[in-house]
Amino acid sequence: MKQSTKRSTLLLFIAAVMLCISIFSTAPIKAENIEVPEEVRAYLASSRWSNREITGWVNPGQQKNNAACAFAAVKKGTANTLVAFGWKNGRWVYKWYNPSALPQVEQPIVLGEIARDRTNFTSFYVYNHEIQEMFCVWEQQQSGTWELQALQHFGYYRPEKGLMFFDTSVDGVMKLSNVGWVAGKETNTPVYGTYQRDLRYFSLDAFPLTLDEARERLSQPPAIPLGTLQAHKVKFPQGQKYPVYQGPGEEYARSGNGKASVSTNDWVQVFGEENGWL
């Protein structure tokens, strides 16, 4: 395929995506001009984020009920954090926060609502006044959790990774696509396995941005050992490592010659809890 044809195809692809996704705000605006509820501003001003600037606010679907969840993006320098709020007794109250879900960049993080029937929103930053880099689409599930539906990396957040589009709308599979406008072959490939999609625990650093990384990092659940124990799914923040001991306490010997640990970037089987130890 000729370079000009590749570029035209890419532009058509991007145009199609942008036609499907209507963003109310596509560029950063001054913090004081962002319409943020007073109780949210008051909370942030008295919290650990008191010295940070609010760069984004979104209430997807304009919900104000028990299922409602709204989000603020706050920044200081290159440190950006997503703060979630729930609706309770007629006002927004703090729920949780996750700095790993946002790019750690100088540019302000923009949160936008998507004009579709489903309850979802986007997060991204604007590069070179035109590119919506690390463009993520988040959708609320029936359980109330928010899960990643799509991600677009245009090659500026991590230049060595190149351009890639990700469809993460189906659990257990990640579809990676480009149109050859990067080094290497064109790609339109599904990779099967489990990875973290839950916004509360999501980590951009742990998200694979190439086909090889996806094949390396996506994992399959291990078989449950035979016996009377029963395994359950639990969630851990990604990018963490915990030491492993031979019993429920640091007084027990640490396995693996004192070096054993478990990573939350892969499956962790938990069969019980004793005195705060899994």
Side-chain angles (χ1 to χ4, degrees):
M1 181 182 286
K2 294 182 179 180
Q3 186 70 17
S4 59
T5 305
K6 293 179 180 179
R7 184 167 184 173
S8 298
T9 306
L10 174 64
L11 293 176
L12 287 173
F13 180 86
I14 296 174
V17 171
M18 293 309 166
L19 283 174
C20 295
I21 301 176
S22 175
I23 304 300
F24 293 125
S25 175
T26 58
I29 59 178
K30 292 183 178 180
E32 60 267 24
N33 294 331
I34 298 177
E35 295 185 5
V36 182
E38 287 301 321
E39 64 266 29
V40 172
R41 287 192 182 275
Y43 171 81
L44 292 173
S46 61
S47 69
R48 69 182 75 185
W49 303 289
S50 60
N51 61 344
R52 299 201 177 191
E53 175 187 7
I54 302 173
T55 65
W57 168 260
V58 64
N59 173 19
Q62 303 303 304
Q63 297 184 93
K64 289 187 177 180
N65 51 46
N66 292 337
C69 194
F71 303 90
V74 297
K75 83 175 288 86
K76 182 180 181 182
T78 60
N80 297 292
T81 300
L82 187 71
V83 187
F85 294 84
W87 185 257
K88 184 177 181 181
N89 298 327
R91 59 188 287 112
W92 293 108
V93 296
Y94 167 78
K95 291 186 69 175
W96 49 264
Y97 75 98
N98 183 1
S100 300
L102 300 180
Q104 303 304 299
V105 293
E106 288 283 357
Q107 294 92 331
I109 302 300
V110 180
L111 304 180
E113 189 175 2
I114 300 178
R116 293 195 303 183
D117 294 338
R118 297 179 178 179
T119 304
N120 45 33
F121 75 100
T122 65
S123 59
F124 60 93
Y125 70 92
V126 178
Y127 179 84
N128 199 27
H129 305 290
E130 59 179 351
I131 300 297
Q132 297 176 7
E133 180 60 292
M134 295 309 285
F135 186 95
C136 297
V137 179
W138 307 95
E139 183 174 285
Q140 190 176 35
Q141 308 301 299
Q142 290 185 347
S143 61
T145 61
W146 291 82
E147 294 187 355
L148 183 69
Q149 302 296 301
L151 186 149
Q152 298 175 25
H153 177 253
F154 289 96
Y156 300 100
Y157 183 57
R158 296 181 193 158
E160 74 280 6
K161 303 300 182 182
L163 180 148
M164 191 68 73
F165 302 97
F166 303 84
D167 179 351
T168 60
S169 60
V170 179
D171 198 24
V173 59
M174 177 186 292
K175 295 181 180 179
L176 299 87
S177 304
N178 68 38
V179 292
W181 198 34
V182 291
K185 298 180 180 179
E186 297 180 34
T187 302
N188 186 13
T189 307
V191 179
Y192 297 92
T194 299
Y195 56 99
Q196 185 60 264
R197 298 171 60 216
D198 190 328
L199 177 57
R200 184 168 184 177
Y201 305 99
F202 181 79
S203 170
L204 276 177
D205 287 341
F207 188 86
L209 289 179
T210 67
L211 183 58
D212 288 341
E213 285 185 353
R215 286 171 171 164
E216 177 185 351
R217 297 183 187 181
L218 268 63
S219 60
Q220 299 293 339
I224 300 175
L226 297 176
T228 59
L229 299 178
Q230 182 180 4
H232 299 272
K233 284 188 176 181
V234 297
K235 293 180 179 179
F236 291 93
Q238 279 191 295
Q240 304 295 315
K241 284 188 176 181
Y242 298 98
V244 176
Y245 298 91
Q246 295 179 2
E250 293 182 351
E251 67 273 15
Y252 289 87
R254 186 172 178 180
S255 303
N257 295 321
K259 299 180 180 180
S261 62
V262 62
S263 169
T264 61
N265 290 337
D266 206 338
W267 280 84
V268 180
Q269 283 189 312
V270 178
F271 293 96
E273 179 180 352
E274 182 177 342
N275 298 326
W277 288 83
L278 302 178

